[in-house]
Amino acid sequence: MKQMKPPKKPLIFYYGIILVIILLLNSFIFPAIFNHSVKEVDYGTFLTMVEDGKVKQVEIENNTIMFKPKDTSEAKLYKTGSIDDPKLVDRLHEANVKFAKVIPKETSPLLNFILSWILPLLIFIAIGQWLMKKMQNKMMGGGGALSFGKSNAKVYVEAQTGITFKDVAGQDEAKEALQEIVDFLHNPKKYKEIGASIPKGALLVGPPGTGKTLLAKAVAGESKVPFFSMSGSEFVEMFVGMGAARVRDLFKQAQEKAPCIVFIDEIDAIGKSRNSGMPGGNDEREQTLNQLLTEMDGFDADKGVVILAATNRPETLDKALLRPGRFDRRVPVELPDLAGRESILHVHAGKVKLADDVDFNMIARATSGASGADLANIINEAALRAVRLGRNKVMQNDLEESVEVVIAGYQRKNAVISMKDKLTISYHEIGHALVAAKQSHSAPVHKITIIPRTSGALGYTMQVDEHETILMTKEQALDKITTYMGGRAAEEVIFKTITSGASNDIEQATKIARSMVTRFGMSDEFDMMALETVNNPYLGGDTSLMVSAETAAKVDAEILKIIKTCHQKAIRILEDNKDKLHELTKYLLEKETISGEEFMAILAGKQESSVILEK
Ligand code: ADP
Ligand code: MG
Ligand code: ZN
């Protein structure tokens, strides 16, 4: 739902304008209209006219005398100020003029006030309100932030999601956990008979793009029940109390439609811990959360309302949400493993025409750490590329290229890079690859390229593991750091100078070294002491150090020691293989992209690189 913009000027401003308009009307315009046809004359003229017999009728008011002439050519009505003239009556009588004194009307001042001030004001306010409402409806597309508690006009039902567990590849554990809920919604009697009560709520936790929302829809699709879906942020409204009203409505509707599923996506938007240290807190969010807690306690799970929620920040959720009877069941939806990635690729490739050379296993191996959403994106990018190249089938190299697009962005074909920089980049990348190849615990080199990418990468070396490993040994970790050092080391060995091109390598290497010391217990100094905690494991996983200042300094020293050792090792490897470094670099510079096989062939001396470098 779109947020309503606050009106540019406060309402009171418009009412002020209206008031001024009424004032002007009352004091100038109306009298002017009335007086238009009245001609004012002096008393003398009046008397002369009476004596000349030109006057037909006279009305004497308190301060004025109005009179009608016999000859109406000049004006229909005259007026003059009334003067204390005792002879006036006689004169009029003599001239045979009809005359009368007007009896002053006893209008009550209150009525007068109401008629001339309150009534017009009320009319204008009514018009104003009507306009406001119209405007709002336009902006909000119905409903509206100002329609307090009237959100029940919105029906949250999305009757059939049409998605089943078949559409969710991998995630077998999650599916198994949710299968029970599906079963319950199909056959609640079975559970009631034995006296078991089904959990009221299940919380899907995991990194973004792993299929949490998809799974929730699949549960609804499998159970063939209505699916009430809302995002946590939709509850957080402009006005305190609105969110709570929405929660109430949602649950009211859900109970009417039971059995059904209520799905609250991104629940951390309202479920954040209430003592998160914000001064003053957030009233609206807390009220909404309290209402949610109350509603979850209030309804009878046997009726068949199951609440699913999803978040990638479970650690921020309020403890009250997680206690038994509420979201007591936690379903982890983790990043897919190798087999999971392969089957996700298969699911999404279902509607894509594939060439025979497509090898999803290879793509899955090259995408360790990718989420389901990433993989879906890779398939789509590959299909787009195939179309762009005028093919009607997706080939393996479309897929490989789109993996790189997702990892590093598009190729920057037009980027202008000087020959000197290109040479440096080539040595840098071959440095990585050579160090990786000369160590026994690093993954094989799959591809080396010096074609720059939109992510800012000037080139990269892709390593693809044969098998996926879940555990990382200390040797593997050290080899990884050493490989990261390889790029810079090559620059040092060849050019005796260094460039800024290693910044990302430095960052990654330091991250691994830090984890080794603070979390994996891989340093001699600290043994198995925990020094750091991970704050949000599913979102970037930033950590906070929980040690004294002195220890922190020692931690840094320890990290530095690891990095220095690895750096020296990388330099040594490259010094020992300087010939190969030159040879491979020349080859890469010529080809711009070389495969792992080519690389290994040259390294093993099986292939002569015939390219001669021109400087
Ligand atoms: P989130 O966990 O962030 O809610 P989504 O459920 O929205 O992720 O997933 C985004 C998209 O990624 C889905 O629409 C689907 O195309 C794809 N996807 C993610 N996980 C899977 C999976 N396990 N199987 C098939 N597709 C998946
Ligand atoms: Mg989601
Ligand atoms: Zn590098």
mmCIF file of all heavy atoms in Angstrom, residues 356-401:
data_model
loop_
_atom_site.group_PDB
_atom_site.id
_atom_site.type_symbol
_atom_site.label_atom_id
_atom_site.label_comp_id
_atom_site.label_asym_id
_atom_site.label_seq_id
_atom_site.Cartn_x
_atom_site.Cartn_y
_atom_site.Cartn_z
ATOM 1 N N ASP A 356 21.410 -29.564 -25.865
ATOM 2 C CA ASP A 356 21.836 -30.836 -25.273
ATOM 3 C C ASP A 356 23.057 -30.703 -24.381
ATOM 4 O O ASP A 356 23.306 -31.543 -23.526
ATOM 5 C CB ASP A 356 22.143 -31.852 -26.389
ATOM 6 C CG ASP A 356 20.872 -32.227 -27.144
ATOM 7 O OD1 ASP A 356 19.792 -32.100 -26.518
ATOM 8 O OD2 ASP A 356 20.963 -32.615 -28.328
ATOM 9 N N ASP A 357 23.834 -29.616 -24.607
ATOM 10 C CA ASP A 357 25.101 -29.548 -23.872
ATOM 11 C C ASP A 357 24.942 -28.971 -22.456
ATOM 12 O O ASP A 357 25.921 -28.807 -21.744
ATOM 13 C CB ASP A 357 26.123 -28.705 -24.659
ATOM 14 C CG ASP A 357 25.730 -27.237 -24.704
ATOM 15 O OD1 ASP A 357 24.524 -26.951 -24.530
ATOM 16 O OD2 ASP A 357 26.615 -26.388 -24.905
ATOM 17 N N VAL A 358 23.719 -28.683 -22.064
ATOM 18 C CA VAL A 358 23.527 -28.050 -20.753
ATOM 19 C C VAL A 358 23.851 -29.022 -19.619
ATOM 20 O O VAL A 358 23.385 -30.163 -19.603
ATOM 21 C CB VAL A 358 22.082 -27.533 -20.620
ATOM 22 C CG1 VAL A 358 21.781 -27.164 -19.182
ATOM 23 C CG2 VAL A 358 21.885 -26.338 -21.536
ATOM 24 N N ASP A 359 24.692 -28.558 -18.708
ATOM 25 C CA ASP A 359 25.112 -29.385 -17.584
ATOM 26 C C ASP A 359 24.811 -28.633 -16.292
ATOM 27 O O ASP A 359 25.590 -27.786 -15.855
ATOM 28 C CB ASP A 359 26.624 -29.668 -17.719
ATOM 29 C CG ASP A 359 27.166 -30.439 -16.527
ATOM 30 O OD1 ASP A 359 26.357 -30.841 -15.659
ATOM 31 O OD2 ASP A 359 28.402 -30.628 -16.462
ATOM 32 N N PHE A 360 23.632 -28.932 -15.718
ATOM 33 C CA PHE A 360 23.224 -28.194 -14.524
ATOM 34 C C PHE A 360 24.119 -28.481 -13.333
ATOM 35 O O PHE A 360 24.268 -27.646 -12.442
ATOM 36 C CB PHE A 360 21.769 -28.510 -14.171
ATOM 37 C CG PHE A 360 20.796 -27.777 -15.041
ATOM 38 C CD1 PHE A 360 19.692 -28.425 -15.568
ATOM 39 C CD2 PHE A 360 20.984 -26.436 -15.318
ATOM 40 C CE1 PHE A 360 18.794 -27.744 -16.368
ATOM 41 C CE2 PHE A 360 20.087 -25.749 -16.117
ATOM 42 C CZ PHE A 360 18.997 -26.406 -16.640
ATOM 43 N N ASN A 361 24.708 -29.668 -13.316
ATOM 44 C CA ASN A 361 25.586 -29.994 -12.197
ATOM 45 C C ASN A 361 26.765 -29.031 -12.138
ATOM 46 O O ASN A 361 27.151 -28.546 -11.073
ATOM 47 C CB ASN A 361 26.066 -31.443 -12.321
ATOM 48 C CG ASN A 361 26.930 -31.831 -11.134
ATOM 49 O OD1 ASN A 361 28.147 -31.652 -11.163
ATOM 50 N ND2 ASN A 361 26.280 -32.317 -10.073
ATOM 51 N N MET A 362 27.321 -28.748 -13.313
ATOM 52 C CA MET A 362 28.456 -27.833 -13.362
ATOM 53 C C MET A 362 28.039 -26.436 -12.886
ATOM 54 O O MET A 362 28.741 -25.787 -12.109
ATOM 55 C CB MET A 362 28.984 -27.783 -14.805
ATOM 56 C CG MET A 362 30.310 -27.096 -14.956
ATOM 57 S SD MET A 362 30.066 -25.378 -15.376
ATOM 58 C CE MET A 362 31.062 -24.589 -14.161
ATOM 59 N N ILE A 363 26.870 -25.980 -13.359
ATOM 60 C CA ILE A 363 26.378 -24.656 -12.955
ATOM 61 C C ILE A 363 26.148 -24.630 -11.449
ATOM 62 O O ILE A 363 26.499 -23.664 -10.759
ATOM 63 C CB ILE A 363 25.067 -24.311 -13.694
ATOM 64 C CG1 ILE A 363 25.270 -24.334 -15.201
ATOM 65 C CG2 ILE A 363 24.538 -22.949 -13.256
ATOM 66 C CD1 ILE A 363 26.233 -23.288 -15.706
ATOM 67 N N ALA A 364 25.578 -25.707 -10.934
ATOM 68 C CA ALA A 364 25.315 -25.769 -9.493
ATOM 69 C C ALA A 364 26.627 -25.704 -8.720
ATOM 70 O O ALA A 364 26.719 -25.045 -7.680
ATOM 71 C CB ALA A 364 24.548 -27.049 -9.152
ATOM 72 N N ARG A 365 27.659 -26.378 -9.250
ATOM 73 C CA ARG A 365 28.943 -26.354 -8.556
ATOM 74 C C ARG A 365 29.557 -24.962 -8.590
ATOM 75 O O ARG A 365 30.253 -24.560 -7.657
ATOM 76 C CB ARG A 365 29.904 -27.374 -9.183
ATOM 77 C CG ARG A 365 29.689 -28.795 -8.645
ATOM 78 C CD ARG A 365 30.772 -29.757 -9.090
ATOM 79 N NE ARG A 365 30.650 -30.101 -10.504
ATOM 80 C CZ ARG A 365 31.597 -29.881 -11.405
ATOM 81 N NH1 ARG A 365 32.742 -29.317 -11.052
ATOM 82 N NH2 ARG A 365 31.406 -30.228 -12.663
ATOM 83 N N ALA A 366 29.294 -24.242 -9.649
ATOM 84 C CA ALA A 366 29.893 -22.916 -9.773
ATOM 85 C C ALA A 366 29.149 -21.855 -8.971
ATOM 86 O O ALA A 366 29.585 -20.718 -8.895
ATOM 87 C CB ALA A 366 29.930 -22.506 -11.242
ATOM 88 N N THR A 367 28.021 -22.227 -8.387
ATOM 89 C CA THR A 367 27.201 -21.204 -7.737
ATOM 90 C C THR A 367 27.023 -21.455 -6.249
ATOM 91 O O THR A 367 25.963 -21.189 -5.694
ATOM 92 C CB THR A 367 25.807 -21.137 -8.391
ATOM 93 O OG1 THR A 367 25.310 -22.469 -8.525
ATOM 94 C CG2 THR A 367 25.852 -20.468 -9.734
ATOM 95 N N SER A 368 28.054 -21.973 -5.623
ATOM 96 C CA SER A 368 27.901 -22.244 -4.197
ATOM 97 C C SER A 368 27.619 -20.922 -3.480
ATOM 98 O O SER A 368 28.242 -19.894 -3.762
ATOM 99 C CB SER A 368 29.157 -22.928 -3.667
ATOM 100 O OG SER A 368 29.841 -22.088 -2.808
ATOM 101 N N GLY A 369 26.626 -20.969 -2.606
ATOM 102 C CA GLY A 369 26.246 -19.755 -1.889
ATOM 103 C C GLY A 369 25.124 -18.980 -2.544
ATOM 104 O O GLY A 369 24.632 -18.011 -1.985
ATOM 105 N N ALA A 370 24.702 -19.428 -3.737
ATOM 106 C CA ALA A 370 23.608 -18.722 -4.409
ATOM 107 C C ALA A 370 22.276 -19.168 -3.821
ATOM 108 O O ALA A 370 22.116 -20.309 -3.407
ATOM 109 C CB ALA A 370 23.649 -19.011 -5.906
ATOM 110 N N SER A 371 21.319 -18.245 -3.772
ATOM 111 C CA SER A 371 19.989 -18.585 -3.267
ATOM 112 C C SER A 371 19.106 -19.031 -4.414
ATOM 113 O O SER A 371 19.477 -18.901 -5.586
ATOM 114 C CB SER A 371 19.366 -17.374 -2.595
ATOM 115 O OG SER A 371 19.070 -16.401 -3.573
ATOM 116 N N GLY A 372 17.936 -19.547 -4.071
ATOM 117 C CA GLY A 372 16.982 -19.961 -5.089
ATOM 118 C C GLY A 372 16.636 -18.826 -6.030
ATOM 119 O O GLY A 372 16.516 -19.011 -7.243
ATOM 120 N N ALA A 373 16.492 -17.636 -5.453
ATOM 121 C CA ALA A 373 16.154 -16.482 -6.289
ATOM 122 C C ALA A 373 17.287 -16.179 -7.271
ATOM 123 O O ALA A 373 17.044 -15.869 -8.435
ATOM 124 C CB ALA A 373 15.861 -15.274 -5.418
ATOM 125 N N ASP A 374 18.539 -16.313 -6.804
ATOM 126 C CA ASP A 374 19.686 -16.101 -7.693
ATOM 127 C C ASP A 374 19.644 -17.089 -8.854
ATOM 128 O O ASP A 374 19.879 -16.728 -10.009
ATOM 129 C CB ASP A 374 21.009 -16.319 -6.939
ATOM 130 C CG ASP A 374 21.263 -15.234 -5.905
ATOM 131 O OD1 ASP A 374 20.777 -14.111 -6.120
ATOM 132 O OD2 ASP A 374 21.938 -15.520 -4.906
ATOM 133 N N LEU A 375 19.337 -18.343 -8.525
ATOM 134 C CA LEU A 375 19.359 -19.382 -9.557
ATOM 135 C C LEU A 375 18.253 -19.161 -10.573
ATOM 136 O O LEU A 375 18.465 -19.317 -11.787
ATOM 137 C CB LEU A 375 19.238 -20.765 -8.906
ATOM 138 C CG LEU A 375 20.428 -21.119 -7.997
ATOM 139 C CD1 LEU A 375 20.129 -22.351 -7.163
ATOM 140 C CD2 LEU A 375 21.687 -21.338 -8.819
ATOM 141 N N ALA A 376 17.077 -18.765 -10.065
ATOM 142 C CA ALA A 376 15.979 -18.456 -10.983
ATOM 143 C C ALA A 376 16.411 -17.332 -11.923
ATOM 144 O O ALA A 376 16.134 -17.359 -13.128
ATOM 145 C CB ALA A 376 14.740 -18.042 -10.189
ATOM 146 N N ASN A 377 17.120 -16.379 -11.353
ATOM 147 C CA ASN A 377 17.605 -15.246 -12.133
ATOM 148 C C ASN A 377 18.630 -15.689 -13.183
ATOM 149 O O ASN A 377 18.620 -15.214 -14.317
ATOM 150 C CB ASN A 377 18.221 -14.236 -11.154
ATOM 151 C CG ASN A 377 18.527 -12.913 -11.815
ATOM 152 O OD1 ASN A 377 18.036 -12.660 -12.908
ATOM 153 N ND2 ASN A 377 19.337 -12.106 -11.169
ATOM 154 N N ILE A 378 19.493 -16.621 -12.798
ATOM 155 C CA ILE A 378 20.516 -17.115 -13.730
ATOM 156 C C ILE A 378 19.864 -17.769 -14.945
ATOM 157 O O ILE A 378 20.242 -17.512 -16.094
ATOM 158 C CB ILE A 378 21.461 -18.114 -13.006
ATOM 159 C CG1 ILE A 378 22.427 -17.329 -12.101
ATOM 160 C CG2 ILE A 378 22.228 -18.965 -14.012
ATOM 161 C CD1 ILE A 378 23.261 -18.185 -11.182
ATOM 162 N N ILE A 379 18.848 -18.597 -14.695
ATOM 163 C CA ILE A 379 18.150 -19.254 -15.811
ATOM 164 C C ILE A 379 17.554 -18.208 -16.742
ATOM 165 O O ILE A 379 17.674 -18.275 -17.971
ATOM 166 C CB ILE A 379 17.028 -20.180 -15.288
ATOM 167 C CG1 ILE A 379 17.627 -21.329 -14.477
ATOM 168 C CG2 ILE A 379 16.169 -20.683 -16.432
ATOM 169 C CD1 ILE A 379 18.188 -22.453 -15.290
ATOM 170 N N ASN A 380 16.924 -17.211 -16.122
ATOM 171 C CA ASN A 380 16.271 -16.198 -16.945
ATOM 172 C C ASN A 380 17.288 -15.380 -17.751
ATOM 173 O O ASN A 380 17.074 -15.103 -18.925
ATOM 174 C CB ASN A 380 15.419 -15.292 -16.061
ATOM 175 C CG ASN A 380 14.488 -14.433 -16.877
ATOM 176 O OD1 ASN A 380 13.811 -14.950 -17.767
ATOM 177 N ND2 ASN A 380 14.490 -13.144 -16.611
ATOM 178 N N GLU A 381 18.388 -15.022 -17.093
ATOM 179 C CA GLU A 381 19.430 -14.268 -17.805
ATOM 180 C C GLU A 381 19.961 -15.072 -18.991
ATOM 181 O O GLU A 381 20.227 -14.517 -20.055
ATOM 182 C CB GLU A 381 20.596 -13.949 -16.852
ATOM 183 C CG GLU A 381 20.343 -12.788 -15.904
ATOM 184 C CD GLU A 381 20.358 -11.447 -16.604
ATOM 185 O OE1 GLU A 381 20.925 -11.360 -17.711
ATOM 186 O OE2 GLU A 381 19.781 -10.490 -16.056
ATOM 187 N N ALA A 382 20.113 -16.370 -18.776
ATOM 188 C CA ALA A 382 20.634 -17.223 -19.847
ATOM 189 C C ALA A 382 19.667 -17.244 -21.017
ATOM 190 O O ALA A 382 20.076 -17.137 -22.182
ATOM 191 C CB ALA A 382 20.863 -18.638 -19.313
ATOM 192 N N ALA A 383 18.366 -17.341 -20.696
ATOM 193 C CA ALA A 383 17.361 -17.361 -21.757
ATOM 194 C C ALA A 383 17.380 -16.040 -22.524
ATOM 195 O O ALA A 383 17.304 -16.015 -23.758
ATOM 196 C CB ALA A 383 15.980 -17.627 -21.171
ATOM 197 N N LEU A 384 17.517 -14.942 -21.784
ATOM 198 C CA LEU A 384 17.570 -13.630 -22.428
ATOM 199 C C LEU A 384 18.776 -13.529 -23.349
ATOM 200 O O LEU A 384 18.702 -12.997 -24.455
ATOM 201 C CB LEU A 384 17.632 -12.522 -21.370
ATOM 202 C CG LEU A 384 16.368 -12.312 -20.545
ATOM 203 C CD1 LEU A 384 16.601 -11.239 -19.493
ATOM 204 C CD2 LEU A 384 15.205 -11.922 -21.441
ATOM 205 N N ARG A 385 19.903 -14.069 -22.877
ATOM 206 C CA ARG A 385 21.119 -13.999 -23.681
ATOM 207 C C ARG A 385 20.967 -14.815 -24.964
ATOM 208 O O ARG A 385 21.390 -14.384 -26.039
ATOM 209 C CB ARG A 385 22.303 -14.516 -22.860
ATOM 210 C CG ARG A 385 23.638 -14.377 -23.574
ATOM 211 C CD ARG A 385 24.760 -14.887 -22.692
ATOM 212 N NE ARG A 385 25.565 -15.854 -23.423
ATOM 213 C CZ ARG A 385 26.776 -15.598 -23.923
ATOM 214 N NH1 ARG A 385 27.311 -14.430 -23.724
ATOM 215 N NH2 ARG A 385 27.431 -16.511 -24.582
ATOM 216 N N ALA A 386 20.331 -15.979 -24.826
ATOM 217 C CA ALA A 386 20.124 -16.821 -26.006
ATOM 218 C C ALA A 386 19.298 -16.068 -27.045
ATOM 219 O O ALA A 386 19.605 -16.095 -28.246
ATOM 220 C CB ALA A 386 19.428 -18.120 -25.605
ATOM 221 N N VAL A 387 18.271 -15.381 -26.572
ATOM 222 C CA VAL A 387 17.439 -14.608 -27.502
ATOM 223 C C VAL A 387 18.266 -13.500 -28.152
ATOM 224 O O VAL A 387 18.217 -13.282 -29.363
ATOM 225 C CB VAL A 387 16.225 -13.994 -26.767
ATOM 226 C CG1 VAL A 387 15.461 -13.071 -27.708
ATOM 227 C CG2 VAL A 387 15.314 -15.085 -26.236
ATOM 228 N N ARG A 388 19.059 -12.828 -27.317
ATOM 229 C CA ARG A 388 19.872 -11.724 -27.812
ATOM 230 C C ARG A 388 20.808 -12.199 -28.917
ATOM 231 O O ARG A 388 21.096 -11.483 -29.871
ATOM 232 C CB ARG A 388 20.680 -11.147 -26.642
ATOM 233 C CG ARG A 388 20.793 -9.623 -26.661
ATOM 234 C CD ARG A 388 21.574 -9.140 -25.450
ATOM 235 N NE ARG A 388 20.930 -9.457 -24.186
ATOM 236 C CZ ARG A 388 21.589 -9.915 -23.106
ATOM 237 N NH1 ARG A 388 22.883 -10.119 -23.140
ATOM 238 N NH2 ARG A 388 20.929 -10.175 -21.990
ATOM 239 N N LEU A 389 21.305 -13.435 -28.766
ATOM 240 C CA LEU A 389 22.242 -13.952 -29.751
ATOM 241 C C LEU A 389 21.526 -14.674 -30.886
ATOM 242 O O LEU A 389 22.145 -15.381 -31.683
ATOM 243 C CB LEU A 389 23.245 -14.897 -29.071
ATOM 244 C CG LEU A 389 24.123 -14.227 -28.009
ATOM 245 C CD1 LEU A 389 25.126 -15.216 -27.433
ATOM 246 C CD2 LEU A 389 24.860 -13.019 -28.582
ATOM 247 N N GLY A 390 20.201 -14.540 -30.911
ATOM 248 C CA GLY A 390 19.440 -15.077 -32.029
ATOM 249 C C GLY A 390 19.299 -16.583 -32.035
ATOM 250 O O GLY A 390 19.110 -17.196 -33.078
ATOM 251 N N ARG A 391 19.397 -17.186 -30.844
ATOM 252 C CA ARG A 391 19.214 -18.638 -30.777
ATOM 253 C C ARG A 391 17.836 -18.942 -30.217
ATOM 254 O O ARG A 391 17.206 -18.081 -29.602
ATOM 255 C CB ARG A 391 20.291 -19.255 -29.888
ATOM 256 C CG ARG A 391 21.538 -19.592 -30.683
ATOM 257 C CD ARG A 391 22.503 -20.409 -29.868
ATOM 258 N NE ARG A 391 23.516 -19.563 -29.265
ATOM 259 C CZ ARG A 391 23.566 -19.241 -27.998
ATOM 260 N NH1 ARG A 391 22.657 -19.706 -27.176
ATOM 261 N NH2 ARG A 391 24.509 -18.470 -27.527
ATOM 262 N N ASN A 392 17.367 -20.177 -30.442
ATOM 263 C CA ASN A 392 16.077 -20.517 -29.853
ATOM 264 C C ASN A 392 16.213 -21.566 -28.758
ATOM 265 O O ASN A 392 15.251 -22.145 -28.305
ATOM 266 C CB ASN A 392 15.078 -20.967 -30.929
ATOM 267 C CG ASN A 392 15.593 -22.154 -31.708
ATOM 268 O OD1 ASN A 392 16.673 -22.689 -31.401
ATOM 269 N ND2 ASN A 392 14.843 -22.583 -32.706
ATOM 270 N N LYS A 393 17.467 -21.816 -28.373
ATOM 271 C CA LYS A 393 17.700 -22.745 -27.268
ATOM 272 C C LYS A 393 18.780 -22.190 -26.353
ATOM 273 O O LYS A 393 19.702 -21.500 -26.825
ATOM 274 C CB LYS A 393 18.147 -24.110 -27.794
ATOM 275 C CG LYS A 393 16.984 -24.950 -28.242
ATOM 276 C CD LYS A 393 17.417 -26.357 -28.568
ATOM 277 C CE LYS A 393 16.195 -27.179 -28.952
ATOM 278 N NZ LYS A 393 16.518 -28.272 -29.847
ATOM 279 N N VAL A 394 18.662 -22.518 -25.075
ATOM 280 C CA VAL A 394 19.664 -22.056 -24.121
ATOM 281 C C VAL A 394 20.823 -23.042 -24.102
ATOM 282 O O VAL A 394 20.619 -24.246 -23.949
ATOM 283 C CB VAL A 394 19.056 -21.926 -22.711
ATOM 284 C CG1 VAL A 394 20.143 -21.658 -21.679
ATOM 285 C CG2 VAL A 394 18.017 -20.823 -22.697
ATOM 286 N N MET A 395 22.040 -22.525 -24.285
ATOM 287 C CA MET A 395 23.204 -23.402 -24.286
ATOM 288 C C MET A 395 24.002 -23.239 -23.004
ATOM 289 O O MET A 395 23.806 -22.293 -22.249
ATOM 290 C CB MET A 395 24.084 -23.110 -25.497
ATOM 291 C CG MET A 395 23.316 -23.358 -26.764
ATOM 292 S SD MET A 395 24.230 -23.308 -28.298
ATOM 293 C CE MET A 395 25.912 -23.305 -27.901
ATOM 294 N N GLN A 396 24.928 -24.165 -22.810
ATOM 295 C CA GLN A 396 25.720 -24.146 -21.583
ATOM 296 C C GLN A 396 26.446 -22.819 -21.408
ATOM 297 O O GLN A 396 26.498 -22.284 -20.308
ATOM 298 C CB GLN A 396 26.723 -25.312 -21.606
ATOM 299 C CG GLN A 396 27.637 -25.376 -20.403
ATOM 300 C CD GLN A 396 26.913 -25.800 -19.129
ATOM 301 O OE1 GLN A 396 25.723 -26.081 -19.135
ATOM 302 N NE2 GLN A 396 27.649 -25.829 -18.026
ATOM 303 N N ASN A 397 27.002 -22.266 -22.511
ATOM 304 C CA ASN A 397 27.761 -21.034 -22.276
ATOM 305 C C ASN A 397 26.860 -19.824 -21.983
ATOM 306 O O ASN A 397 27.303 -18.863 -21.377
ATOM 307 C CB ASN A 397 28.783 -20.770 -23.386
ATOM 308 C CG ASN A 397 28.134 -20.601 -24.734
ATOM 309 O OD1 ASN A 397 26.956 -20.263 -24.808
ATOM 310 N ND2 ASN A 397 28.891 -20.839 -25.788
ATOM 311 N N ASP A 398 25.576 -19.903 -22.346
ATOM 312 C CA ASP A 398 24.630 -18.881 -21.882
ATOM 313 C C ASP A 398 24.537 -18.932 -20.363
ATOM 314 O O ASP A 398 24.558 -17.907 -19.676
ATOM 315 C CB ASP A 398 23.226 -19.127 -22.454
ATOM 316 C CG ASP A 398 23.189 -18.932 -23.957
ATOM 317 O OD1 ASP A 398 23.927 -18.066 -24.447
ATOM 318 O OD2 ASP A 398 22.426 -19.657 -24.618
ATOM 319 N N LEU A 399 24.418 -20.160 -19.874
ATOM 320 C CA LEU A 399 24.282 -20.328 -18.426
ATOM 321 C C LEU A 399 25.546 -19.879 -17.703
ATOM 322 O O LEU A 399 25.488 -19.174 -16.696
ATOM 323 C CB LEU A 399 23.985 -21.793 -18.096
ATOM 324 C CG LEU A 399 22.564 -22.245 -18.443
ATOM 325 C CD1 LEU A 399 22.461 -23.762 -18.433
ATOM 326 C CD2 LEU A 399 21.566 -21.658 -17.468
ATOM 327 N N GLU A 400 26.701 -20.268 -18.256
ATOM 328 C CA GLU A 400 27.956 -19.892 -17.597
ATOM 329 C C GLU A 400 28.132 -18.383 -17.585
ATOM 330 O O GLU A 400 28.550 -17.798 -16.584
ATOM 331 C CB GLU A 400 29.138 -20.579 -18.288
ATOM 332 C CG GLU A 400 29.158 -22.068 -17.990
ATOM 333 C CD GLU A 400 30.451 -22.733 -18.442
ATOM 334 O OE1 GLU A 400 31.434 -22.007 -18.717
ATOM 335 O OE2 GLU A 400 30.468 -23.967 -18.520
ATOM 336 N N GLU A 401 27.795 -17.776 -18.702
ATOM 337 C CA GLU A 401 27.918 -16.325 -18.750
ATOM 338 C C GLU A 401 26.957 -15.672 -17.753
ATOM 339 O O GLU A 401 27.328 -14.718 -17.065
ATOM 340 C CB GLU A 401 27.644 -15.826 -20.179
ATOM 341 C CG GLU A 401 27.557 -14.312 -20.335
ATOM 342 C CD GLU A 401 28.828 -13.568 -19.931
ATOM 343 O OE1 GLU A 401 29.918 -14.168 -19.981
ATOM 344 O OE2 GLU A 401 28.709 -12.391 -19.546
#
